[in-house]
Amino acid sequence: MNIVTLLPFIVLIGAMFLMTRSAKNKQRQAAQMRDQMQPGTGVRTIGGMYATVKEVNDDTVLLEVAPGVHAIYAKNAIGAVLEDAEYNRIVHGIEPHDSETPVVPDDASSLTEGEAPAADKKIDLGKGEAAEAERAAEPESADKDKDAEPQAKDAKDAKGAERDGKDGDTEAK
């Protein structure tokens, strides 16, 4: 046989080999992760439930899903073994305290320290003299708009008449 005829089969067998090798690597990594489990470790099941490992057996794991509530799961049902910081953040809402993370206050009072209280200050929202000047200018611009409208209508009518004439020419041909 010719090598050109065998080339597609060789490529197909190579692709299958690479795909099975990738799947085996993923299975090996999952087995290593499950072997890392020990009592006290936080885990996430493949169903999305978070629990704490209480006991590890050959094929099963005893998990504490809530205080005083234990359940037996297959080792294959463990989707991820979590680090303590991540488990506490997800389950208990405890954020790790990093010195790099800035502390954001719950209210704005700490941002205005040293300034006068907000109740004593008068806040200008632009409704003073500028708003009055705009109101005075409105009637003039309204009159200009009224004058512009008839001219626009006349222009539209003229365009409509031109279209009608063109349409008639094409129908006549």
Side-chain angles (χ1 to χ4, degrees), residues 85-100:
E86 184 179 4
Y87 180 78
N88 288 331
R89 180 184 62 81
I90 293 169
V91 176
H92 303 295
I94 300 171
E95 294 291 330
H97 297 289
D98 295 336
S99 60
E100 298 174 8

Side-chain angles (χ1 to χ4, degrees), residues 24-155:
K24 285 182 182 179
N25 282 339
K26 287 182 182 179
Q27 287 176 350
R28 184 179 42 80
Q29 289 174 350
Q32 283 180 341
M33 174 202 55
R34 290 183 187 110
D35 290 338
Q36 292 176 354
M37 286 189 299
Q38 51 188 325
T41 306
V43 295
R44 181 182 64 235
T45 65
I46 57 175
M49 183 178 63
Y50 293 92
T52 305
V53 176
K54 286 297 177 186
E55 187 178 307
V56 180
N57 298 322
D58 292 336
D59 295 331
T60 61
V61 180
L62 180 66
L63 299 179
E64 185 177 28
V65 295
V69 180
H70 297 90
I72 298 174
Y73 280 81
K75 270 190 174 180
N76 293 339
I78 304 302
V81 177
L82 306 172
E83 296 178 8
D84 289 337
E86 184 179 4
Y87 180 78
N88 288 331
R89 180 184 62 81
I90 293 169
V91 176
H92 303 295
I94 300 171
E95 294 291 330
H97 297 289
D98 295 336
S99 60
E100 298 174 8
T101 307
V103 177
V104 179
D106 290 340
D107 59 352
S109 63
S110 64
L111 300 175
T112 58
E113 291 177 8
E115 295 181 14
D120 295 345
K121 286 186 174 181
K122 182 178 179 183
I123 299 175
D124 181 21
L125 299 175
K127 294 185 179 180
E129 297 171 6
E132 290 176 15
E134 287 180 22
R135 284 188 207 129
E138 283 179 5
E140 294 173 9
S141 63
D143 292 339
K144 290 179 183 177
D145 290 341
K146 288 179 185 175
D147 293 340
E149 287 178 11
Q151 292 174 357
K153 287 180 183 177
D154 292 340

